[in-house]
Amino acid sequence: MFEVMMGVDILKQKYLFAGVIAVLLVLVLVLPVQAAENYEYVTQWGSDGTGNGQFIRPFGVAVDSSGFVYVTDALNHRVQKFDSGGKYITQWGSYGSGNGEFKEPTGIAVDSSGFIYVVDTNNFRVQKFDTSGKYVTQWGSYGSGNGQFYNHQGIAVDSSGNVYVADTNNNRVQKFNTSGKYVTQWGSIGWSNGQFDLPIGIAIDSSGNVYVTDTDNNRIEKFDSGGTYIGQWGSYGSGDNKFIGTWGIAIDSSDFVYVTDVRNYRVQKFDTSGNYITQLGSYGSGDGQFNSQGFVAVDSSGNIYRVDMGNYRVEKFAKVKTTGSLAVTSDTDGAEIYLDGANTGQVTPYTFTDLESKDYQIVVKKQCYSDPSPLIAAVSVGGITAIDFPLESDGTCMSAPEFPSPAVPVTAAIGCVGVMIFFARRKNP
């Protein structure tokens, strides 16, 4: 029977054996073309006021694993919770210095267990809550010593529960464990590598690397989890990869980085090396516009939530889905087509339409026998021949003692997607 290997494993295999009955499997990996991405405005919520769902200086935003959105309402001294469409759910907090009270909460983060960490800026502390807003613990005081804060704003939590705080006016990052025990710190005022001039936003990627918005230096700095400097990007200006005041920062599940660019009134998207991908936003109060600073968050579906402080609202954006068609044929019709592991119920030839631009697995399957029944000798995806099995005169597959070395994939660009095809040959018993 045939075997089908993924990726580079195919280069390591030399022999494929066939029994009396064989099933031909052709694996096709469809990869998205790196084209410019676009985002569209989805919805917004909020207005100026003190009622449920209203804000006076909304500041931080975070999204939990269930898609609930938490917003720090700084001058109402509270946290408000919404569903992903902006429907108000609950709130907690009031003005004061007691447990669960706030004096201008700013940054907010949610860990993998659903605990919520709030930067209580003018109480010079971090408070921790459960998902319903019940107070758990706190740490911090005014000052510049270990575990102390001065106008701290950004906060992030890594996969191990360590908490990182952008201690803004102390121009440093402090790291704590999940209970608030001080671990380490790094940074000082300046513009050299590893220094800051008002660090405000902070985020963690899947590898534990730490990204900090160095606001008045108009850049992003990247560190490992212990504070060792790795790299940076950005400079003053309005072009791609330039900033006039970096502010909030978020990282999605694919490790793309989103930065609020305050005086350019936009959000810019990058990879983890700082390569520019796209942007959204402009100045104003219309849909998809901003008129002030604000933090940013991304949910598990890639939707972006941006606090628009000056317009007293939160705006939600989603990636514009691009689609295309994909034709799958074989030189002997009637081969079953599987898409992402599921039988589509279609057989060759068939054209899929309105496929979203993303990765796909396509498997073409047909039985063949040792008698001269027709065999699949070629499969075509998008008009590109993917596999070519020369046949012996009796209709069986030719003897193929080993793969070509190296095995070369066929590639092609098809509409909004590209195709990469790995192929295999079988050897007669």
Side-chain angles (χ1 to χ4, degrees):
M1 62 181 294
F2 279 90
E3 298 179 36
V4 177
M5 287 71 66
M6 289 188 178
V8 297
D9 287 347
I10 196 167
L11 302 177
K12 301 176 182 178
Q13 299 291 330
K14 289 190 174 181
Y15 299 97
L16 295 176
F17 300 98
V20 175
I21 299 178
V23 177
L24 175 61
L25 298 177
V26 180
L27 177 62
V28 181
L29 303 181
V30 181
L31 307 177
V33 169
Q34 277 288 60
E37 295 181 347
N38 292 302
Y39 283 81
E40 60 185 354
Y41 166 86
V42 176
T43 190
Q44 64 177 279
W45 64 89
S47 59
D48 184 13
T50 60
N52 296 345
Q54 293 185 306
F55 305 107
I56 302 179
R57 202 168 187 248
F59 202 106
V61 61
V63 186
D64 69 17
S65 60
S66 299
F68 292 111
V69 182
Y70 303 82
V71 182
T72 53
D73 187 8
L75 295 186
N76 280 321
H77 310 286
R78 63 185 178 182
V79 173
Q80 296 195 66
K81 180 179 179 179
F82 305 87
D83 70 14
S84 61
K87 180 181 178 180
Y88 171 84
I89 296 176
T90 190
Q91 64 177 278
W92 68 88
S94 59
Y95 181 82
S97 300
N99 296 344
E101 296 180 321
F102 302 109
K103 290 183 179 178
E104 295 193 30
T106 53
I108 187 168
V110 183
D111 70 17
S112 58
S113 299
F115 288 105
I116 301 158
Y117 302 79
V118 181
V119 173
D120 188 8
T121 299
N122 287 340
N123 279 320
F124 309 102
R125 64 184 178 181
V126 171
Q127 294 195 69
K128 179 178 178 180
F129 303 87
D130 66 17
T131 55
S132 64
K134 181 180 178 180
Y135 171 85
V136 176
T137 190
Q138 65 175 280
W139 66 89
S141 60
Y142 174 77
S144 57
N146 296 344
Q148 294 184 310
F149 303 110
Y150 179 25
N151 193 32
H152 57 315
Q153 296 188 36
I155 191 167
V157 188
D158 67 19
S159 59
S160 299
N162 297 303
V163 181
Y164 301 78
V165 180
D167 189 7
T168 305
N169 281 26
N170 280 322
N171 290 292
R172 64 183 178 182
V173 171
Q174 294 196 70
K175 178 179 178 179
F176 304 86
N177 70 14
T178 189
S179 300
K181 181 180 178 181
Y182 171 85
V183 176
T184 191
Q185 65 175 280
W186 65 89
S188 59
I189 188 167
W191 54 87
S192 299
N193 296 345
Q195 293 186 306
F196 304 110
D197 191 353
L198 297 182
I200 290 180
I202 191 166
I204 317 293
D205 69 18
S206 62
S207 299
N209 296 311
V210 183
Y211 301 74
V212 183
T213 57
D214 186 10
T215 301
D216 281 2
N217 283 323
N218 300 293
R219 65 183 179 182
I220 307 300
E221 292 195 84
K222 180 179 178 179
F223 304 86
D224 70 15
S225 59
T228 299
Y229 173 85
I230 296 175
Q232 65 176 277
W233 69 88
S235 59
Y236 179 84
S238 298
D240 299 343
N241 209 349
K242 293 182 181 294
F243 307 99
I244 304 179
T246 55
W247 198 267
I249 187 168
I251 299 178
D252 67 19
S253 59
S254 299
D255 281 341
F256 290 110
V257 182
Y258 304 77
V259 181
T260 54
D261 183 7
V262 177
R263 296 304 173 196
N264 283 317
Y265 306 99
R266 62 185 179 182
V267 174
Q268 295 194 65
K269 180 178 179 179
F270 305 89
D271 65 20
T272 53
S273 297
N275 296 306
Y276 171 85
I277 297 174
T278 193
Q279 63 180 277
L280 58 99
S282 61
Y283 176 75
S285 57
D287 295 347
Q289 295 184 311
F290 314 115
N291 86 342
S292 188
Q293 66 267 34
F295 277 23
V296 63
V298 187
D299 67 18
S300 59
S301 299
N303 298 305
I304 301 171
Y305 301 82
R306 205 281 201 184
V307 170
D308 184 15
M309 187 182 296
N311 283 320
Y312 309 99
R313 64 184 179 182
V314 175
E315 292 189 88
K316 179 179 179 179
F317 301 84
K319 186 184 294 186
V320 176
K321 293 183 178 180
T322 55
T323 61
S325 61
L326 201 60
V328 183
T329 65
S330 60
D331 62 341
T332 57
D333 294 344
E336 296 176 335
I337 305 173
Y338 290 72
L339 183 65
D340 287 343
N343 191 333
T344 63
Q346 306 296 334
V347 297
T348 57
Y350 185 77
T351 299
F352 295 94
T353 59
D354 295 325
L355 287 180
E356 181 184 350
S357 180
K358 67 170 190 176
D359 293 357
Y360 291 99
Q361 292 180 343
I362 296 177
V363 174
V364 177
K365 180 189 293 188
K366 189 175 185 181
Q367 285 188 327
C368 57
Y369 298 84
S370 56
D371 62 28
S373 298
L375 298 175
I376 295 178
V379 172
S380 177
V381 178
I384 304 299
T385 299
I387 186 169
D388 189 3
F389 276 60
L391 302 180
E392 302 287 10
S393 59
D394 64 357
T396 60
C397 292
M398 67 171 282
S399 177
E402 63 183 49
F403 285 111
S405 182
V408 180
V410 178
T411 61
I414 301 173
C416 64
V417 295
V419 179
M420 181 173 289
I421 301 153
F422 291 101
F423 63 92
R425 293 181 179 179
R426 77 175 187 184
K427 184 179 179 180
N428 286 334

